[in-house]
Amino acid sequence: MQIELTRKFRKQVESLNNRTIKIKVLAIINAVVIAEKMVDFPNLKKLTGYKNQYRVRLGSYRIGISINDQTVIFAAFDHRSNIYTYFP
């Protein structure tokens, strides 16, 4: 699968101070690149009421993802209390 990282996603990950969470985010991105189907994504859940919007749970953080055909767009990354105010 092809991946795209939005500018917002990159900025949010770079501004994070916790190194272990950054490593886990990179591991999830690598897992998505290797995956052949959506079932292979770790901790993926479809958002209710949206056709192509998903989230990946990473402890108390969430990664907002949009999936279109064979392209996975990493749109947002934030704490679980903040991410749903602007994603999707």
Side-chain angles (χ1 to χ4, degrees):
M1 295 194 139
Q2 297 177 354
I3 64 163
E4 292 180 16
L5 305 175
T6 62
R7 183 173 175 229
K8 183 178 204 171
F9 178 80
R10 288 183 193 154
K11 285 179 73 173
Q12 290 171 328
V13 172
E14 288 172 1
S15 68
L16 186 66
N17 293 329
N18 192 337
R19 184 177 167 97
T20 58
I21 297 295
K22 283 185 181 181
I23 292 170
K24 289 180 182 181
V25 169
L26 290 175
I28 288 175
I29 293 171
N30 289 333
V32 170
V33 170
I34 294 170
E36 296 179 9
K37 298 178 184 175
M38 288 180 13
V39 179
D40 300 332
F41 296 178
N43 299 323
L44 184 74
K45 185 174 180 182
K46 187 174 186 325
L47 294 179
T48 306
Y50 296 96
K51 186 175 181 181
N52 297 325
Q53 309 294 336
Y54 297 84
R55 65 105 172 126
V56 175
R57 184 172 160 233
L58 188 62
S60 60
Y61 289 92
R62 302 294 183 264
I63 300 174
I65 295 177
S66 298
I67 300 176
N68 298 323
D69 297 326
Q70 291 295 326
T71 305
V72 178
I73 302 168
F74 287 85
F77 173 80
D78 209 348
H79 192 269
R80 65 185 178 94
S81 63
N82 299 329
I83 192 163
Y84 299 113
T85 58
Y86 56 86
F87 179 80

